[in-house]
């Protein structure tokens, strides 16, 4: 679900000069531009010669600031807030709610059920505060268990947002969820409109959001291999949406707090409140939005200026997400000093100067394989973040590039298996379930 517009306007005038000191010991691992150009010729071998670095444990406290910094290509307008201040940071540390591996989706096939209020009340123990797992702009999210044993997430609209606007978003989410089904998308089970209650019932994904993992709210550091796998999962999900039968679906809010992880760290894209189906006859850039939707820091600058929505807006957001995955940092961090922020724009600048290593999350190992994959991922991010959509790759192409990165990364690690993350199970194909 999406929150309605929280604020609008604003343009960052600050020049972004993050403090190198904030990237603990990273300067020691800076790669030279000659090395970078070499790596393009023979990436695996060059990366194998790269420095071996340090491993920093997961200790950084989570960011939770509110912010209005639009520094990624000076994006000028916002809807909600990439700092996640409003919706994240809410209900972690309650491990019983996040449960065990047995908590993941089971038994129930996806498909629309018109739930009764009695079923929902039973599943959520009358919306017990103990079962509250999140809060978004749309309302509160509860964990529940259906009669057949299936764990679900029940999204309950706030009474204060029972207006026309939220009604449209509710219907939009229902329409989209009804249509789609993919391993890397949160499954839709059903919904309920009952008196003044509007409820959406979806698959319960037990391991929190990607943003929480990047902030180490679940303990262990998400290693590089797992992050690469997450990027591929998200690329698969969004490719599926964009290539969906006759009418592509544009998600419009790809961001780390909308990506949920399973107990095996498989990623599932959630939150279709803003999603839009491109109807027959609409060509790439013919749709003019009446209202810009999305989250500050992830918004396509061309969409912001033209109000024309295309699949390439998701590609732009995905580029921001790629930077987030390798840096571990939010795209917007208002509480930090300007010089300490790591924006996608700054990361791209460092990459272009041959200094990619400086942006790597200090909690990740500076190993040849990681250094190699970092460069390759930033190279892809640079394409995704192109100011003009015509210069951005399609999402399917992003997935293909990421497969190749993973293949070379595997080679560098000396592994022979397609899955790099110690506990993930995955396939190479972009397939519908
Ligand atoms: N299917 C789910 N399984 C497990 N937890 C979920 C699920 N859906 C949502 N949550 C939890 O509830 C929180 C709120 O989700 P929701 O989609 O309503 O809002 P949001 O996207 O975080 O916020 P906003 O829409 O205002 O930006 C999520 O951050 C997550 O922690």
């Amino acid at each position: 679900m999406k929150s309605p517009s929280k604020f609008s306007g604003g343009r960052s005038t600050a020049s972004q000069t993050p403090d190198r000191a904030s990237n603990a010991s990273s300067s020691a691992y800076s790669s030279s531009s000659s090395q970078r150009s070499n790596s393009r010729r023979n990436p695996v071998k060059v990366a194998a010669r790269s420095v071996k670095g340090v491993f920093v444990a997961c200790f950084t406290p989570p960011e939770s600031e509110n912010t209005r910094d639009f520094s990624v290509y000076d994006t000028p307008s916002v809807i909600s807030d990439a700092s996640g201040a409003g919706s994240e940071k809410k209900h972690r540390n309650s491990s019983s709610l996040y449960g065990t591996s047995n908590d993941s989706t089971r038994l129930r096939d996806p498909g629309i059920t018109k739930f009764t209020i009695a079923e929902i009340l039973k599943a959520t123990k009358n919306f017990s505060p103990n079962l509250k797992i999140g809060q978004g702009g749309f309302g509160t999210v509860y964990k529940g268990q259906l009669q057949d044993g299936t764990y679900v997430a029940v999204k309950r609209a706030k009474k204060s947002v029972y207006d026309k606007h939220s009604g449209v978003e509710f219907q939009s989410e229902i329409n989209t969820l009804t249509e789609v089904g993919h391993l890397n998308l949160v499954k839709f089970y059903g919904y309920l409109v009952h008196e003044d209650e509007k409820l959406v019932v979806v698959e319960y994904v037990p391991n929190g959001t990607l943003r929480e993992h990047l902030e180490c709210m679940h303990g262990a550091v998400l290693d590089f291999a797992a992050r690469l796998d997450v990027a591929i999962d998200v690329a698969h999900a969004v490719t599926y949406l964009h290539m969906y039968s006759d009418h592509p679906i544009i998600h419009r809010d790809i961001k780390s707090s909308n990506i949920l992880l399973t107990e095996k760290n498989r990623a599932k894209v959630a939150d279709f409140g803003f999603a839009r189906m491109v109807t027959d006859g609409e060509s790439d850039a013919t749709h003019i939005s009446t209202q810009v939707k999305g989250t500050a820091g992830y918004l396509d600058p061309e969409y912001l200026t033209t109000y024309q929505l295309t699949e390439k807006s998701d590609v732009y957001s995905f580029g921001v997400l790629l930077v987030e995955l390798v840096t571990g940092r939010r795209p917007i961090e208002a509480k930090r000093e300007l010089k300490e922020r790591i924006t996608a724009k700054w990361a791209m600048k460092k990459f272009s100067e041959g200094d990619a290593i400086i942006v790597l999350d200090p909690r990740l190992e500076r190993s040849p394989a990681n250094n190699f994959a970092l460069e390759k991922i930033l190279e892809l991010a640079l394409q995704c973040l192109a100011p003009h959509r015509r210069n951005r790759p399609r999402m399917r192409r992003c997935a293909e590039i990421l497969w190749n990165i993973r293949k070379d990364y595997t080679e560098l690690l000396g592994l022979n298996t397609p899955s790099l993350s110690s506990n993930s199970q995955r396939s190479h194909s972009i397939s519908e379930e």
Side-chain angles (χ1 to χ4, degrees):
M1 291 293 159
K2 270 294 114 256
S3 51
S5 302
K6 290 173 184 153
F7 44 84
S8 64
R11 180 183 288 270
S12 170
T13 52
S15 79
Q16 306 295 321
T17 50
D19 181 2
R20 284 175 183 236
S22 70
N23 295 283
S25 55
S26 54
S27 57
Y29 303 102
S30 299
S31 55
S32 67
S33 47
S34 65
Q35 181 186 22
R36 201 169 130 258
S37 60
N38 278 341
S39 78
R40 291 208 172 109
R41 284 198 296 276
N42 196 350
V44 175
K45 282 184 184 160
V46 172
R49 288 198 297 270
S50 299
V51 291
K52 193 165 167 46
V54 293
F55 176 78
V56 183
C58 198
F59 62 90
T60 311
E63 289 280 336
S64 58
E65 64 273 43
N66 221 331
T67 180
R68 296 184 57 178
D69 171 12
F70 314 114
S71 46
V72 178
Y73 289 113
D74 292 326
T75 51
S77 169
V78 293
I79 293 299
S80 68
D81 174 355
S83 72
S87 56
E88 265 190 84
K89 72 189 184 291
K90 300 161 211 143
H91 300 287
R92 296 303 154 226
N93 310 324
S94 168
S95 55
S96 61
L97 281 182
Y98 281 84
T100 65
S101 57
N102 294 332
D103 271 3
S104 58
T105 315
R106 56 181 183 169
L107 303 173
R108 178 171 285 259
D109 290 327
I112 313 175
T113 302
K114 276 204 162 181
F115 288 97
T116 64
I117 191 68
E119 281 175 295
I120 299 294
L121 290 174
K122 192 169 179 208
T124 60
K125 298 195 167 76
N126 295 324
F127 296 112
S128 163
N130 294 335
L131 292 174
K132 188 175 166 185
I133 53 172
Q135 181 77 49
F138 177 81
T140 310
V141 186
Y142 295 86
K143 180 181 177 182
Q145 190 173 21
L146 301 177
Q147 186 74 37
D148 66 6
T150 306
Y151 285 97
V152 291
V154 178
K155 304 177 89 174
R156 184 188 198 192
K158 288 191 276 210
K159 291 192 174 31
S160 61
V161 294
Y162 284 160
D163 55 13
K164 195 165 165 257
H165 183 65
S166 71
V168 170
E169 274 168 23
F170 179 80
Q171 201 51 52
S172 161
E173 180 147 9
I174 297 296
N175 292 347
T176 311
L177 282 166
T178 304
E179 295 232 357
V180 299
H182 186 278
L183 179 68
N184 302 117
L185 295 174
V186 170
K187 291 190 188 77
F188 176 57
Y189 291 142
Y191 70 100
L192 171 67
V193 179
H194 174 80
E195 298 174 354
D196 59 352
E197 292 278 7
K198 280 181 186 158
L199 301 157
V200 180
V201 182
V202 297
E203 169 185 17
Y204 172 71
V205 188
N207 203 14
T209 68
L210 172 62
R211 175 65 356 236
E212 291 162 355
H213 281 268
L214 293 176
E215 291 174 358
C216 290
M217 292 171 81
H218 295 268
V221 178
L222 204 58
D223 67 23
F224 205 114
R227 296 184 197 202
L228 184 51
D229 282 345
V230 165
I232 291 172
D233 280 343
V234 175
H236 285 179
V238 182
T239 300
Y240 166 85
L241 292 175
H242 289 181
M243 298 180 77
Y244 188 77
S245 68
D246 296 332
H247 48 266
I249 296 167
I250 305 172
H251 185 284
R252 293 215 274 183
D253 206 14
I254 301 296
K255 59 176 177 178
S256 58
S257 58
N258 277 342
I259 293 160
L260 299 170
L261 298 188
T262 69
E263 68 277 9
K264 293 183 175 175
N265 286 340
R266 291 217 65 158
K268 288 179 182 267
V269 176
D271 213 344
F272 292 85
F274 287 169
R276 187 174 180 284
M277 291 181 201
V278 180
T279 49
D280 290 347
E282 272 183 353
S283 67
D284 240 7
T286 52
H287 179 73
I288 309 289
S289 303
T290 50
Q291 209 181 4
V292 171
K293 307 243 186 189
T295 299
Y298 297 87
L299 277 166
D300 168 10
E302 199 166 22
Y303 170 47
L304 283 168
T305 51
T306 64
Y307 282 40
Q308 289 182 324
L309 183 70
T310 74
E311 293 97 310
K312 295 289 184 77
S313 296
D314 283 345
V315 173
Y316 182 90
S317 307
F318 183 70
V320 178
L321 184 79
L322 289 175
V323 174
E324 208 178 340
L325 274 166
V326 295
T327 63
R329 301 276 289 268
R330 292 173 184 271
I332 292 179
E333 298 180 317
K335 280 191 179 166
R336 285 185 194 264
E337 293 284 315
L338 280 178
K339 63 181 183 179
E340 286 181 353
R341 294 179 193 168
I342 292 189
T343 61
K345 185 178 181 181
W346 183 78
M348 292 301 100
K349 183 168 175 283
K350 289 289 134 191
F351 168 70
S352 301
E353 291 169 1
D355 215 4
I357 195 70
I358 202 170
V359 310
L360 183 64
D361 186 338
R363 290 165 291 201
L364 294 174
E365 190 184 359
R366 266 76 181 158
S367 66
N370 286 359
N371 297 354
F372 160 77
L374 169 71
E375 292 240 355
K376 288 296 177 188
I377 288 173
L378 289 178
E379 192 177 319
L380 174 59
L382 186 64
Q383 294 172 43
C384 295
L385 293 169
H388 297 292
R389 57 176 164 256
R390 65 175 177 275
N391 297 323
R392 297 175 205 150
R394 291 199 175 275
M395 190 53 75
R396 190 191 169 102
R397 181 70 194 130
C398 296
E400 288 166 357
I401 290 168
L402 288 166
W403 296 341
N404 286 330
I405 295 173
R406 185 165 65 183
K407 185 170 158 290
D408 291 341
Y409 184 70
T410 309
E411 206 181 301
L412 275 170
L413 288 179
L415 297 177
N416 256 342
T417 53
S419 176
L420 300 169
S421 185
S422 52
N423 53 4
S424 55
Q425 303 166 341
R426 51 204 64 250
S427 77
H428 279 291
S429 61
I430 301 177
S431 58
E432 297 177 20
E433 280 203 309

